[in-house]
Amino acid sequence: MIPNIPTALTWLRIVLIPVFVGIYYVPQEWLTQTMANWIGMSVFALAAITDWLDGYLARRLGATSAFGAFLDPVADKLMVAAALILLVELGRAEAYLAIIIIGREIAISALREWMAQLGRSRKTAVAFIGKVKTVAQMTAIIALLLWENVIPGVSTQLLGTLALYVAAILTLWSMFHYLRRAAPHFRAEPAAREQESRPRQKPEPAVRPARPPVH
């Protein structure tokens, strides 16, 4: 049996989550903070690359599956949530920014699930604003996990913090975008339920016209 490579990469991304988180809790006698920053950032970056790679291979190899379509966004959200919680614990990110981003991911996931049940999943398909948000989000997380200045004259900490604020703003913007697209179905759903709950009236029998008397 040939394994589904895209799904295997998605599982790898999930497995890498406790790896990059655990690196930051290794005693400094074994691993200095600078080494932990570089290794942890590298593992997270590898996981982020698999996110792009599994989608590319699924389309290229025609290996898409219902389970893979379900697992891929779950892995993405677990990875981002774990990284943000870790950054808050390390004192490198504000808690309210993490709450905004994680809360939005949960809300939009629920919205997409509901829209899929209505057969309107295209209404909440990933838009351009969502892709820009993802780029800003990944840039922020990678920079804040690294925390080491690598470009002369550029503060990695400041770059990561600014990117995280941008990601939070785009997170709210994209959330309202998806909610606006789904809003007509919010109004249509109660009306449909009310119509279904009404007892169906039996059609009245047609009244046949009286036949003229036969003489």
Side-chain angles (χ1 to χ4, degrees), residues 8-169:
L9 289 173
T10 304
W11 278 116
L12 175 62
R13 187 156 72 255
I14 295 176
V15 170
L16 289 177
I17 293 173
V19 174
F20 83 79
V21 171
I23 288 171
Y24 288 89
Y25 291 94
V26 174
Q28 293 193 6
E29 292 80 9
W30 300 353
L31 202 64
T32 66
Q33 188 61 60
T34 299
M35 293 176 63
N37 289 337
W38 277 101
I39 297 174
M41 180 277 296
S42 300
V43 174
F44 180 86
L46 175 62
I49 291 173
T50 64
D51 181 21
W52 169 83
L53 187 59
D54 63 10
Y56 170 79
L57 290 177
R59 294 186 298 270
R60 186 68 180 270
L61 302 177
T64 57
S65 65
F67 178 71
F70 160 78
L71 188 63
D72 182 69
V74 171
D76 296 343
K77 289 163 181 55
L78 287 175
M79 183 177 68
V80 170
L84 290 173
I85 293 171
L86 173 64
L87 291 172
V88 172
E89 175 69 17
L90 294 174
R92 302 180 185 183
E94 297 291 342
Y96 67 88
L97 295 177
I99 292 172
I100 289 173
I101 295 174
I102 295 173
R104 179 267 185 196
E105 297 295 342
I106 295 173
I108 296 303
S109 293
L111 177 65
R112 284 180 172 146
E113 179 67 22
W114 180 69
M115 291 295 287
Q117 292 180 1
L118 297 180
R120 297 290 188 273
S121 57
R122 289 186 178 182
K123 289 286 186 179
T124 52
V126 178
F128 178 75
I129 183 64
K131 295 179 181 179
V132 176
K133 180 268 301 179
T134 300
V135 171
Q137 189 172 272
M138 291 300 176
T139 300
I141 293 175
I142 289 174
L144 293 174
L145 287 175
L146 177 57
W147 204 247
E148 309 288 338
N149 294 333
V150 293
I151 303 175
V154 177
S155 171
T156 302
Q157 298 93 322
L158 180 59
L159 173 64
T161 301
L162 291 177
L164 191 60
Y165 275 100
V166 171
I169 294 172

